[in-house]
Amino acid sequence: MNTYVTSATIKRLREMRNFTQADLADRVGVSSKTISKWETGKGLPDISLLQPLAQALGISVIELMNGEHIINRNVSANMQRSLFYVCPVCGNAVHALGNTVVSCCGITLPALEAEEADEDHTITIEKVEDEHFITVHHPMEKGHYVSFAAFVTSDRIQMVKLYPEGNAETRLSLRGIGTLYWYCNQHGLFRKKLPARKADL
């Protein structure tokens, strides 16, 4: 991992659960003096204690090490709040319906911020039968390529993986109001709200 649990995180999460230091110590199997040392920065938990500590605090080890407790308050999950995460090491692309902690190849991944397309990442959309043919005007070289394209509406996602030295094009069914996303491995995530005026595409 690229981070480690901090004293402030342990104290904040303990207080969120309304535990005393003694309460937390009992659940982890250490002394309250040990918890005090952790919270004052005079020591940190051994790696073997991270799982019991996270379990006692009701969170995952990744959340504990990231210092952020993710609470999903959006029970009905609107797909339009979709977030994308991409691992810079292996290229793994992850889709989530809201904030979450995503880790890949030992790295905690930030959610990508989508931008409007610039002149180097333009797209064209052509209607073909009951689908749409999407072309991203972009090189597809080993070191610089479009990794995926996705169309997100309020109730579904279509996501297509693209590969270097292939074509930056795919077919998607662009039905309803939604957002078209495409990801360049060097310049990040781009978006286009649809339906849009034909002149804007």
Side-chain angles (χ1 to χ4, degrees):
M1 298 296 296
N2 61 341
T3 57
Y4 197 74
V5 62
T6 66
S7 56
T9 296
I10 296 170
K11 183 175 182 180
R12 180 172 48 81
L13 292 172
R14 174 181 64 78
E15 290 175 346
M16 280 175 60
R17 303 280 291 186
N18 295 317
F19 289 162
T20 65
Q21 289 182 343
D23 292 335
L24 183 57
D26 288 344
R27 286 170 168 79
V28 179
V30 297
S31 69
S32 56
K33 196 175 278 189
T34 298
I35 300 295
S36 177
K37 283 183 179 179
W38 293 350
E39 292 187 357
T40 56
K42 294 176 182 172
L44 288 172
D46 183 81
I47 196 164
S48 64
L49 293 173
L50 291 182
Q51 180 63 43
L53 178 59
Q55 189 171 353
L57 293 169
I59 62 174
S60 70
V61 172
I62 292 174
E63 288 173 302
L64 177 64
M65 295 180 75
N66 194 47
E68 185 178 0
H69 184 192
I70 303 298
I71 300 171
N72 183 10
R73 295 185 178 91
N74 183 18
V75 178
S76 61
N78 184 339
M79 293 289 284
Q80 292 283 21
R81 295 181 183 153
S82 288
L83 294 173
F84 294 92
Y85 301 79
V86 176
C87 178
V89 177
C90 70
N92 186 21
V94 179
H95 168 256
L97 295 180
N99 286 327
T100 187
V101 177
V102 177
S103 179
C104 189
C105 296
I107 302 168
T108 301
L109 307 177
L112 299 173
E113 291 187 27
E115 300 177 7
E116 297 298 324
D118 58 24
E119 60 184 23
D120 295 324
H121 298 87
T122 59
I123 58 169
T124 55
I125 302 173
E126 296 176 58
K127 179 97 165 131
V128 179
E129 298 173 354
D130 61 344
E131 292 184 311
H132 292 81
F133 192 72
I134 315 296
T135 303
V136 184
H137 302 284
H138 191 281
M140 291 294 281
E141 303 158 355
K142 282 188 177 178
H144 189 195
Y145 57 92
V146 174
S147 170
F148 68 83
F151 182 59
V152 179
T153 64
S154 62
D155 65 347
R156 69 191 64 204
I157 178 173
Q158 300 169 70
M159 190 168 177
V160 177
K161 177 76 176 132
L162 302 172
Y163 296 94
E165 302 182 346
N167 294 322
E169 57 192 28
T170 188
R171 283 185 181 221
L172 294 171
S173 177
L174 305 182
R175 292 196 183 115
I177 296 171
T179 305
L180 181 64
Y181 294 93
W182 59 104
Y183 177 76
C184 167
N185 74 321
Q186 288 192 10
H187 299 104
L189 189 65
F190 295 92
R191 70 173 176 231
K192 171 66 91 177
K193 296 274 189 186
L194 297 175
R197 291 179 304 136
K198 197 165 186 181
D200 293 337
L201 299 178

